[in-house]
Amino acid sequence: MSELRRDPISGRWVIIAVERGKRPSDFASVSQKRKIKGFCPFCPGNEYTAPQEIIAFRPPNTAPNTPGWTLRVVPNKFPALQIHGELNKRGEGIYDKMNGIGAHEVIIETADHLLSLSTMSLKAVEDVLWAYYFRITDLKKDVRFKYVLVFKNEGESAGASIEHTHSQLIALPIIPHIVKDEMNSAKRYFELRDRCIFCDIIAQELEFEKRIIYQNDAYIVLAPFAPREPFETWILPKRHESRFEPREKSFSLLAETLQTTLKKLDAVLETPPYNYVIHTSPFQDEINEYYHWHIEIIPKLTKTAGFEWGSGFFINPTPPEEAAKFMREAKI
């Protein structure tokens, strides 16, 4: 029988439609294995096609905006929000609006067009995480911004317009409502029980083990109890951490966790398109006892249709327990 499951953090309901159940081989998606085709603005030698780099990891004897780099961060050429200007919050009758002020940046994760986060070196994955941290830390100095959302679109069907592996970040003058909902729910739980809901979830999953995909000394990878999509996967620090930051001044264990998770997804789902986002505490409340930063990874295997749009429910044909088992047992 199908089940209705409630996500304890967001409060949203999900239908686990087991009678529509699918094994990994039943999901039809275009493999995201890279291939060289035509001109790529992110490849070395084509730096002139992008805006001036903000930061880059490169040998000291190479000039900015030239080849030799291993990672670059540049402004998005077609930004969703503009860095220059004032917010100018104002009303229009009963409506509120402000100028589209923010920052929109692209993290070009490697110079090699054929590599991805699951195939590049572990050190290169760690560098990507450091780039996220450096840019969040720098953008936090701008008093106009309240939040930085880091996200990755891998594959055309996941929203990537350029094949070369990259991720993005957008600095926002408001806190995204999804993050705000998570934080409000977590705060209510903490006020009721004097404990972090994420820490309680981790403790319970460690006890029952059936939704654990992978873990090391610092991080745990879970199939959430009420996943919106098949093979939705979360990465969380095992100890309480409210903001995204390096542990003991190192991202090595997180890099290993992230790459292992993506390798397992590639093995089980034949290199699927996916999105991931990093949810962390807003700048104004970075250190707290109730919220727990995490990475949400969602492969693009199903389509949102009329029922989902009209009801706010998600229909997932793969129980998370089965998804976790497939990923846990995947050979990489």
Side-chain angles (χ1 to χ4, degrees):
M1 181 179 293
S2 295
E3 289 183 347
L4 281 162
R5 295 191 180 189
R6 181 182 179 276
D7 178 71
I9 298 165
S10 67
R12 66 174 168 257
W13 285 89
V14 172
I15 299 172
I16 305 296
V18 292
E19 74 281 1
R20 296 154 64 108
K22 288 179 178 283
R23 299 176 64 84
S25 58
D26 294 331
F27 290 108
S29 63
V30 178
S31 171
Q32 299 308 307
K33 292 179 181 176
R34 281 168 171 73
K35 48 197 175 293
I36 297 175
K37 52 175 184 179
F39 179 84
C40 174
F42 289 171
C43 280
N46 299 331
E47 292 82 4
Y48 67 93
T49 65
Q52 299 287 294
E53 65 191 38
I54 299 170
I55 61 169
F57 297 173
R58 56 167 66 247
N61 61 341
T62 59
N65 306 297
T66 64
W69 53 273
T70 56
L71 176 149
R72 296 179 80 219
V73 180
V74 299
N76 193 303
K77 198 170 184 178
F78 307 99
L81 298 171
Q82 301 289 340
I83 190 73
H84 299 294
E86 300 299 324
L87 291 173
N88 190 22
K89 298 179 182 179
R90 57 201 184 277
E92 186 176 298
I94 65 170
Y95 307 114
D96 298 311
K97 61 183 181 179
M98 68 179 82
N99 291 336
I101 300 301
H104 191 172
E105 301 176 4
V106 178
I107 300 92
I108 306 170
E109 298 159 352
T110 175
D112 192 325
H113 186 91
L114 296 180
L115 293 181
S116 68
L117 282 180
S118 61
T119 58
M120 65 178 64
S121 72
L122 199 57
K123 173 62 168 60
V125 178
E126 188 175 355
D127 284 347
V128 171
L129 297 171
W130 275 113
Y132 294 165
Y133 178 71
F134 290 153
R135 293 310 302 140
I136 292 171
T137 302
D138 186 52
L139 289 164
K140 181 167 53 175
K141 300 171 186 174
D142 193 319
V143 296
R144 298 173 299 171
F145 302 150
K146 294 185 178 179
Y147 197 85
V148 171
L149 182 72
V150 175
F151 62 98
K152 181 174 178 65
N153 303 329
E154 174 72 6
E156 186 177 2
S157 62
S161 57
I162 294 176
E163 183 184 67
H164 195 122
T165 188
H166 65 284
S167 40
Q168 302 178 62
L169 63 80
I170 295 183
L172 296 157
I174 56 177
I175 302 168
H177 78 89
I178 291 177
V179 175
K180 190 176 290 187
D181 287 348
E182 286 185 355
M183 294 197 70
N184 289 340
S185 177
K187 195 169 188 177
R188 287 194 297 270
Y189 187 93
F190 185 84
E191 289 169 350
L192 181 65
R193 305 192 182 188
D194 200 30
R195 301 193 307 270
C196 167
I197 187 171
F198 293 88
C199 293
D200 277 5
I201 287 172
I202 291 168
Q204 181 166 313
E205 296 298 343
L206 284 169
E207 180 181 356
F208 292 104
E209 297 186 339
K210 59 186 176 180
R211 284 180 290 271
I212 293 178
I213 294 167
Y214 176 77
Q215 60 176 311
N216 56 28
D217 289 343
Y219 300 94
I220 187 168
V221 185
L222 302 173
F225 174 73
R228 293 157 289 185
E229 302 283 348
F231 292 86
E232 178 178 348
T233 303
W234 285 30
I235 299 173
L236 305 99
K238 284 183 172 179
R239 74 183 184 193
H240 183 79
E241 296 176 6
S242 59
R243 67 177 176 183
F244 175 75
E245 61 182 347
R247 174 172 295 199
E248 279 77 56
K249 299 183 179 180
S250 172
F251 275 122
S252 59
L253 284 176
L254 181 56
E256 184 229 338
T257 305
L258 177 60
Q259 186 172 72
T260 298
T261 304
L262 296 177
K263 282 180 179 289
K264 286 178 175 289
L265 280 173
D266 282 357
V268 171
L269 299 171
E270 299 184 358
T271 318
Y274 65 84
N275 303 105
Y276 74 54
V277 298
I278 297 178
H279 279 178
T280 184
S281 294
F283 296 153
Q284 65 191 31
D285 189 19
E286 279 195 307
I287 306 300
N288 60 69
E289 297 181 275
Y290 61 87
Y291 191 70
H292 206 110
W293 82 263
H294 56 281
I295 301 174
E296 301 180 10
I297 308 172
I298 304 179
K300 300 297 290 185
L301 304 174
T302 59
K303 293 182 178 179
T304 301
F307 176 77
E308 292 85 353
W309 284 115
S311 67
F313 281 85
F314 291 85
I315 299 179
N316 184 346
T318 306
E321 296 77 17
E322 289 186 16
K325 183 175 185 295
F326 281 122
M327 288 185 64
R328 193 165 51 242
E329 296 175 354
K331 304 300 181 185
I332 59 172

